[in-house]
Amino acid sequence: IDCSFEKLVYKRLQLADEGLCLGIDIEDAAREMARGKEFQNAKCEYGSTEDDTEYFYVHIPGLNEDSQNEKDYDKEAYKYGISMKHGEMMFRRRNLGDLFDVPVGQLVELLRSQLQAIEKLPGHQVIQIVLSGDFCNVDYVFRKVSSAFSDRQIRLKVCPEHQFAVAKGVIGNRLRSLRNGGVMERSTEQGNGE
């Protein structure tokens, strides 16, 4: 999602630079804008009740706003299809969905293939899917995944401490193994042909 946003910003900055000579390193600016707090906050809030404004703005780093009258600069940028206001680029929130749809589709396909593999095992049925990680903590993602599995009797939950889910799972499995007197095996392939 961040990479897609960076490419979008790069294209917009490139268009604006052709007509306005922005005087910035477009590649660096696009990268910083994708990693900046404005986009990261908009991305994480997407689809939630906190996501209540039509637009969000991302500061364009290195832009020298003093070089022209700010209002004229914004008007000129608009001629090139770029919405700018006070040295910030404007984006419609609803367009964030376009950035999410491909990775959400990939997640749904991965989950479907995992479900099929599990349900081929005799006596196994999936009744719950627990999502973890920052990506799955976005309301838009949760709703899309929920709707993809709405035809099945599967509960979908988000792990409350999604950042630590995998680590806690590994530790929990190891503790269970030790309590049961079991030994965890771990195999690795050697890369030197042996």
Side-chain angles (χ1 to χ4, degrees), residues 106-171:
Q106 292 169 336
L107 175 62
V108 167
E109 288 308 308
L110 176 65
L111 290 171
R112 286 188 200 283
S113 69
Q114 294 293 316
L115 286 172
Q116 289 172 352
I118 291 169
E119 290 174 345
K120 285 180 183 175
L121 301 171
H124 287 78
Q125 180 184 1
V126 176
I127 58 170
Q128 181 170 290
I129 296 175
V130 179
L131 301 173
S132 67
D134 287 340
F135 179 65
C136 295
N137 204 39
V138 175
D139 287 346
Y140 180 80
V141 173
F142 184 81
R143 282 200 316 271
K144 285 288 195 176
V145 174
S146 292
S147 109
F149 293 100
S150 62
D151 60 333
R152 303 183 63 152
Q153 295 295 319
I154 298 176
R155 286 187 309 247
L156 196 64
K157 291 188 175 187
V158 175
C159 184
E161 292 182 319
H162 56 277
Q163 304 94 329
F164 308 113
V166 173
K168 284 184 175 184
V170 169
I171 292 168

Side-chain angles (χ1 to χ4, degrees), residues 61-74:
L63 187 63
N64 184 359
E65 296 172 29
D66 298 332
S67 62
Q68 296 187 37
N69 179 304
E70 209 171 79
K71 289 186 180 182
D72 291 342
Y73 198 68
D74 295 347

